[in-house]
Structures are given as structure tokens and as C-alpha cells.
């Protein structure tokens, strides 16, 4: 799953899908609405979310651990390795999560490594419908500005 060049997103993107409990049905609906496009990419996600998407859409979704059990950290590590190109994360903005520090760390890593991130279906729609999703993309490496 790791890319030879961490700054190149191939035509088949590696998309991480995460949804908090009150957002899982929205994620399943979004995946159903975009099933034809999602079929052309490699999908992964945190435990329950990945399982539910696979069950409801028949899309193959590689499952990491559940978010509170380290799944968010696993996905963050894959971003740093250049093995995830895009993060679709429908989080519950109205409910505190027991693993809030992990969530904040994942958001920070996604921003630091300059990958596209969607926190809601509108942004996810813009990302998935972008012409860049169907071509090789050379990501700017912003991590160098943080080296001290």
C-alpha cells in the first residue's frame, strides 16, 4: 500500500473513511451515492465504519482498529508513510469523544502532510468530483518547513 514517492498520488487514490457513531449513516449514504467512483480507488477506514460501509455497499474496505482503540492513530501513521492520499472524516461536532486527543492528532497530521480532507459530505462531494481524483497528482511537500 505504500507509495514509492510519497508526494505522488497515483490515479487510484488511497482514501481513508472515518465516521463517528452519529455520522455513520451519513457516511454510508455518501458512499452509496458515490459508489461508482469509490470502486476505482483503494478504501480503508476505522473498524466499525469500514465494516458498515462494506456491509451496506459491498465495497472492499480495509479495516484498521476502531478509532478509540487506536484506529485513528493507525491511519495517521499511514498518512506519514505516504500510504493514504485522502481523508474523509465525518466527525460529530456536537459530542465529545473519549479519544479526542487522537482525533486532533489525526487532523494535525493530515494538515501537515498536505492531503485533502473532508469533514462533511459537501466537502467530500467536492473532493470526490474533482478532476484531480482521476489523474496522477503531485502533492507539495510542506513538511520541510517544520524541520527544526
Amino acid at each position: 500500500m505504500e507509495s514509492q514517492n510519497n508526494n505522488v498520488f497515483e490515479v487510484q487514490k488511497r482514501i481513508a473513511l472515518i465516521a463517528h457513531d452519529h455520522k455513520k449513516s451519513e457516511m454510508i449514504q455518501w458512499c452509496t451515492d458515490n459508489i461508482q467512483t469509490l470502486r476505482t480507488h483503494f478504501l480503508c477506514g476505522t473498524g466499525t465504519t469500514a465494516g458498515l460501509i462494506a456491509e451496506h455497499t459491498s465495497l472492499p474496505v480495509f479495516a484498521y482498529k476502531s478509532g478509540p482503540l487506536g484506529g485513528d492513530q493507525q491511519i495517521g501513521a499511514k498518512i506519514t508513510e505516504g500510504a493514504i492520499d485522502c481523508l474523509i472524516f465525518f466527525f460529530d461536532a456536537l459530542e465529545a469523544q473519549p479519544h479526542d486527543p487522537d482525533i486532533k492528532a489525526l487532523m494535525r497530521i493530515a494538515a501537515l502532510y498536505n492531503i485533502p480532507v473532508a469533514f462533511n459530505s459537501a466537502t467530500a462531494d467536492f473532493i470526490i468530483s474533482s478532476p484531480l481524483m482521476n489523474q496522477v497528482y503531485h502533492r507539495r511537500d510542506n513538511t520541510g518547513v517544520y524541520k527544526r
Side-chain angles (χ1 to χ4, degrees):
M1 188 163 103
E2 191 166 337
S3 174
Q4 293 290 343
N5 181 340
N6 292 346
N7 296 325
V8 176
F9 298 170
E10 299 298 336
V11 173
Q12 183 185 38
K13 305 299 185 283
R14 296 153 309 170
I15 303 171
L17 304 166
I18 304 173
H20 287 157
D21 289 344
H22 292 113
K23 296 294 206 166
K24 290 191 190 313
S25 61
E26 183 180 351
M27 176 65 79
I28 292 165
Q29 184 60 55
W30 183 82
C31 289
T32 301
D33 293 345
N34 292 285
I35 196 165
Q36 294 306 324
T37 302
L38 291 172
R39 280 188 214 281
T40 65
H41 301 288
F42 173 82
L43 307 176
C44 64
T46 49
T48 307
T49 302
L52 287 170
I53 292 168
E55 176 185 335
H56 289 275
T57 66
S58 299
L59 288 166
V61 185
F62 179 84
Y64 290 100
K65 293 189 179 296
S66 172
L69 298 178
D72 295 329
Q73 291 183 349
Q74 287 179 301
I75 289 175
K78 290 297 180 186
I79 292 169
T80 68
E81 294 169 7
I84 291 178
D85 303 321
C86 180
L87 174 63
I88 308 295
F89 186 178
F90 293 177
F91 70 94
D92 188 343
L94 297 178
E95 186 171 313
Q97 301 295 320
H99 60 299
D100 272 340
D102 296 343
I103 296 165
K104 186 171 183 181
L106 176 60
M107 292 175 178
R108 188 176 65 249
I109 289 294
L112 175 65
Y113 282 83
N114 195 28
I115 67 165
V117 179
F119 294 127
N120 56 53
S121 59
T123 309
D125 287 343
F126 273 80
I127 289 172
I128 203 76
S129 64
S130 169
L132 298 174
M133 286 299 289
N134 300 311
Q135 61 190 34
V136 173
Y137 176 75
H138 296 272
R139 172 184 66 88
R140 285 189 199 100
D141 182 356
N142 293 339
T143 58
V145 300
Y146 297 101
K147 293 179 183 168
R148 297 165 197 233

